Amino acid sequence: MSQIKLVIVDDHDVVRKGIKTYLMTEDEIEVVGEASSGDEGADLVLKEKPDVVLMDLIMDNGTGIEATERIVDQLPDCKVIILTSYYDDEKVFPALEAGAFSYMLKTSSADEIAEAVKKAVNGENVIEPKVAGKMMTRMRSPEKQLHEDLTQRELEVLICIGNGLTNTEISEKLFIGIKTVKTHVSHVLHKLEVQDRTQAAVYAHQKGLMK
Amino acid sequence: MSQIKLVIVDDHDVVRKGIKTYLMTEDEIEVVGEASSGDEGADLVLKEKPDVVLMDLIMDNGTGIEATERIVDQLPDCKVIILTSYYDDEKVFPALEAGAFSYMLKTSSADEIAEAVKKAVNGENVIEPKVAGKMMTRMRSPEKQLHEDLTQRELEVLICIGNGLTNTEISEKLFIGIKTVKTHVSHVLHKLEVQDRTQAAVYAHQKGLMK
DNA sequence: TATGCTCTCAGTCTATAGTCTGAGATATAA
DNA sequence: TTATATCTCAGACTATAGACTGAGAGCATA
């Protein structure tokens, strides 16, 4: 089989260099490009058409999630392996839903990463145990993200609450009446299954909905 | 001058490998040990007595902050360089206060990191521009952490607020009257310079006071 | 002893939050 | 067309939050 063409997208220079240097000892793998941001990475991948992409999630210009979506959409055969430090729900599931093929943590050894790359081209997924555990629990109890039920407007209101705005301030910011704000707030509280706006604010922060 | 002895503490295998492999090309630097957790790292450093330590902040067993404190306390001549992905206030200032010598981000190039190591042994600090900016703003307006003014009890109340508890619930949890809770809450709001409990909850979460 | 800080609590008052019911307008899908 | 969902707003009501003043007890320190 011919060499596996790989692109590395990570804003950490040492990570890129580390993987690249290590993979130089792997004959089957050839690093055909590197990028340090999501946007740049997606562009590069669409140009180079590699077999596998190692993708970080948190980067300056364009997240790995967005880049993964673009890549999977344009190049369905290209396997995107998420390689990141995070394994919380807010990062894992959006990445998998975006079409990531494997999900590795940076605590993995270089060997494991090389192995995951090889397996990817053979159609084998590699999911970190910690991440796999989260997937299992989600499978067992399809624990719906409550905020998925929120309408666009309700989500806007929730973000305002999360920023500590009062109803009056929200009404001024969104150019709607206080009565309307109260209606939205009530709906938000019910949908999130919380008792008051403070708990809603906590929810928004804990679920990473802020910013 | 003799070789610079370096220890790398980072739970990311690829980062350790990346730095190590790169530094092999640097004659002046010798990597005398690696560790993947704060506790292990501090032990290793106290044993090996290197000139410089590259230290990650977020790790499984023992944070880089604690490890840095131990190292600086025991080996004052050992320069600890923080090398991490974070540059928010909650991470930067505790690290500097713990005695970190330099503060680098993983987005730095391998060359910059090698340079920082060499500078450290010569007594030159290297502070990432983003981090330096934060230090400058703190210098200009010695922006006191408002919650430092809170009494023990007030901090407890704030944590409760941050968990979304109502005054009644707080009074039950802390075994005090509602009136007392209201007094504490009022004091908390004033000291944090916020208008209501929701903003206080947001503050607690943003400043990393929860948990 | 005097001073100051903390924690506790009361009373009073106002402002804000939140519930519930009802309803009109619009857009979209069956 | 009918149904469904969203966004908008009103009125009436209750509950909670928060401000302000005052005060006693305990504790540590100058």
Side-chain angles (χ1 to χ4, degrees), chain A residues 3-7 26-33:
Chain A
Q3 272 194 320
I4 300 167
K5 291 199 289 180
L6 177 73
V7 162
E26 297 275 341
D27 290 339
E28 302 112 295
I29 302 172
E30 179 194 10
V31 178
V32 297

Side-chain angles (χ1 to χ4, degrees), chain A residues 151-154 175-177 179-180 183-184 191:
Chain A
T151 67
Q152 189 56 39
R153 205 52 159 170
E154 286 161 355
F175 303 107
I176 54 180
K179 289 294 186 184
T180 308
T183 303
H184 288 315
K191 289 184 178 178

Side-chain angles (χ1 to χ4, degrees), chain B residues 9-11 38 55-60 62-66 68 80-88 90-96 100 103-104 106:
Chain B
V9 184
D10 197 310
D11 62 338
M55 175 77 70
D56 193 10
L57 285 184
I58 308 298
M59 291 172 291
D60 276 349
T63 68
I65 306 275
E66 294 156 7
T68 300
V80 178
I81 299 177
I82 302 297
L83 178 62
T84 187
S85 305
Y86 305 91
Y87 56 94
D88 43 23
E90 296 76 54
K91 301 290 181 306
V92 170
F93 296 112
L96 295 177
Y103 198 110
M104 312 273 308
K106 284 186 182 168

Side-chain angles (χ1 to χ4, degrees), chain B residues 96-209:
Chain B
L96 295 177
E97 285 160 10
F101 192 77
S102 294
Y103 198 110
M104 312 273 308
L105 295 179
K106 284 186 182 168
T107 48
S108 306
S109 72
D111 286 317
E112 288 170 329
I113 293 170
E115 200 57 35
V117 171
K118 293 178 202 166
K119 284 185 174 174
V121 293
N122 290 327
E124 294 177 60
N125 309 84
V126 177
I127 306 293
E128 272 287 327
K130 282 178 181 172
V131 175
K134 288 192 172 289
M135 289 177 68
M136 294 303 286
T137 50
R138 170 164 292 208
M139 289 304 178
R140 271 191 232 100
S141 63
E143 192 188 332
K144 185 175 51 181
Q145 293 294 299
L146 297 171
H147 58 266
E148 287 177 5
D149 283 344
L150 296 180
T151 67
Q152 189 54 41
R153 205 53 160 168
E154 286 162 354
L155 186 58
E156 290 180 63
V157 171
L158 175 57
I159 302 299
C160 288
I161 292 174
N163 281 321
L165 301 192
T166 64
N167 288 338
T168 306
E169 289 167 338
I170 295 173
S171 81
E172 287 164 356
K173 174 157 189 179
L174 300 183
F175 304 107
I176 55 181
I178 291 188
K179 288 293 186 183
T180 308
V181 174
K182 284 193 175 190
T183 303
H184 289 314
V185 171
S186 270
H187 292 161
V188 168
L189 300 185
H190 278 121
K191 289 183 178 177
L192 300 188
E193 297 175 2
V194 296
Q195 276 63 56
D196 54 53
R197 63 169 51 225
T198 304
Q199 290 175 12
V202 172
Y203 180 101
H205 282 269
Q206 286 180 340
K207 294 292 179 176
L209 302 179

